Each structure stands twice: as C-alpha cells, then as structure tokens.
Amino acid sequence: SPLGRTKEGGLRDGKDLICCVVYRRSLALSLSPPFPSLLSTLFLPSLQLVPSLLDPFTPMACQTGIKPNAKLRSAFELGKQAKLRLIKVVVRNEELAPNYELRGSNDWRADWAAALPECLDSFEPCFVLFRLNTVHDWLFISFADDRAPVKEKMLLAATQATFKNEFGPAYIAHERHVTERKDLSLDAFDSWMSGKSEPQPLTEIEQELLNAAQERSRAAAAAPTGLKGVSFPLDRNAEEALVQLSKGALAFVQLSVDTLNEAIKLEGMETVLAAGELAGKISRKQPRYTFYRFEHEFDGRQLVSIFFIYSLPSSGASIKERMLYSSCKGPFLGEAARLGVEVAKKMEVDAKDDLSESALFESIHPPVAESPKPFARPAPPGGPRRITKV
C-alpha cells in the first residue's frame, strides 16, 4: 500500500514518513476530483478535507470534522445557564466529550483553586471552559503540554475553531493557550489578567499625543460650555496690549500660549511697524498669535485693517503646542473682540508664506477678476463673401 499505510487507513506511529504535499492552485482551474480524495486517503480518516474549501476562490482550510457529542451539548446548555463553573473537554472516539465538570459555588476563585490545575493531565491535551462571573464571561483555555503526543496536540488544534463555534464565541470573554500545568495556578492567572489590563508600551510620539489629548480634555472640562475649544485666561499685560491695539495706540501685538501655566501671555508689541517689517517679527520656530494694524490706501481713501495672523511653523513645535494653539484660537478671538479688537482678516501661515505689504493688500482687497471677453469670430479667408446671381 502507498506510504506503508495500515489496514485501518492511518499512518503507523514511528514507522512512516510524514511528507508535505504541495499543490499549485490556479484561479482559472479547479482542483481535479482525484486530488482531494487522494489527500483524504493519505491521512487519518478523522481528518476530512471539505471539498467546498478547496475551491480556488476560497482559502484552503483543513477541518477535523469532530463535533461535540450529546453529553457535551448538554453541558454547554448547563454552562450557559450558570449551572456549571468548569467544563473540561477531550477528543475521544472522534468526538468532543466532557471529561470533567464542576458545578462550583458562588466564589469563582475558590472553585479555581479547588479544580485547577489538578484536573489536568500533562499527557492529555484538552479544552477547558471556566466561568468567571456572568454567563458571558467565560475563559477558554487550550491546554497542550510539551510531553503530550504530537498527534493528539495537532488533532486538538485542528478542532479548536469548531469547538468555539459550537459553544458560542459571544460567551467567550478571554482566551489563553497553556503548555504547562503551573501556568494555570490562581496566582499565574491573576498575573496574566493584570498584564492584559496594563497599557501597552508607547513610543515617544504616542505618549506625547496621549498627554496632549489628556491636557485638552482637562482644559475642555474647565472651559465654559457656551464656547467651542479651550479657553485660557489672558495675563494682565496681554489684556492691556489688546485694549491699546483697539484704540490705535499699538500697531503690532504678539502673544503666545503658556502650556505650563495654561494662560495666554504677551510676547511683544510695537507702536509703529511698517508692513515690510512684519515678516521679520513672525517666529519661524514657535506658534504665535499676532495682531497687526495695517494702514493703507484704497480707492483714494486711507483705511485701517487689523489682521489676526496665526503662525504655525511646519517644524519645531511639539504636538501638544499645536493642539493647544488650535483649540485656544476660537475662545481667544472671542475675548479679543470683547476687548474691542475688530479683526478684518484672519490668516494662518507657516514659514513659507508671504507676508509682504502686497500680500497683505491683496488678501484684504483681492483683485477683481476680469469678465471673459466674447469669442471673436475670425474673418473668412479671401475677404468678405459676395453673392452672385445666376
């Protein structure tokens, strides 16, 4: 017989060679009928290949075809009614059968200490279902000790998906694979659960994002409910500078967000500042709020327009600063309006944007687009046409 198979159809332990069969699948051609049957005859009878899964348009999968017997199905129902605390399941006679059941008490920790890991055999792979609190809080354990026979471990692994589907994935809250009995002590389980609840290690950028989000949520909780964003108070110097700007006594006021003290403070001010000098006053490394009083002539009239410039450099600022500047902008402009500052134009710039006098003028007085000229039909060749009577 091929590969020295026994009469029962299985490979002889320690006698036969285990080989890997590689079969090239094509999207255009299905598997020929002899191929699935050939694989079925080479391996254990309980390891049945599902023909629908060998279709070229679905992933290949191998299922044992082992199903729970009537006793296990009954145990499933009792467990879902909170009448069982523990169900141990093994594969016997090509069936999933209960090997040990524990009704337990109201204290799951006491039940754990009384049953686990004593109910396990190192040479017998098994599944264990343990109910922690509610009927939807089951722990699924797949136990396969390194000393157990390889054949039984592989058979159990190939039945795991079927077992969970039969019991109901919605009832399983935790899942763990164990290879040593000592890992199922109550102390080991507590350590495993605490490790799951601990936050995962974060990179420097992820930690900075988390800190910024927490800072933003704390500031938002303390902000008035009628405002959107984060409202930081103005220090006394910044408030006085904005009042002077609204009265025309200052031409330039620059402010910053103090992330440490959660306040907006004054960085600089100028009584007179030419438009050509404005770009040199904008920081290219740190975010800033800047007010500029732009005096100019338009249509023969002298006009004054106050610009609000939110400068956000592309590099150099931390993520926390960027988030706070963006969140504080709305409430800050509301406070500036309350102090009498009437903003004619809002701009958001970075280090590459143009802040020359012409750029300011065009932003406040955009050029009028010329209306499109009608299409001029060209004259026909040879001059105007003449009508000849015949």
Side-chain angles (χ1 to χ4, degrees), residues 5 15 23 99 114 146 157 244 277 297 331 369 390:
R5 292 184 290 108
K15 299 293 185 180
Y23 185 87
N99 179 263
D146 294 337
Q244 295 298 319
E277 300 175 358
E297 182 179 350
V390 180

Side-chain angles (χ1 to χ4, degrees), residues 112 115-123 143-145 147 178-186 188:
W112 184 294
L116 291 174
E118 282 72 15
C119 68
L120 302 180
D121 184 357
S122 299
F123 297 93
F143 174 72
D145 195 282
R147 295 173 290 178
V178 180
T179 58
E180 295 185 13
R181 294 176 75 250
K182 65 179 182 179
D183 292 335
L184 283 178
S185 64
L186 190 57

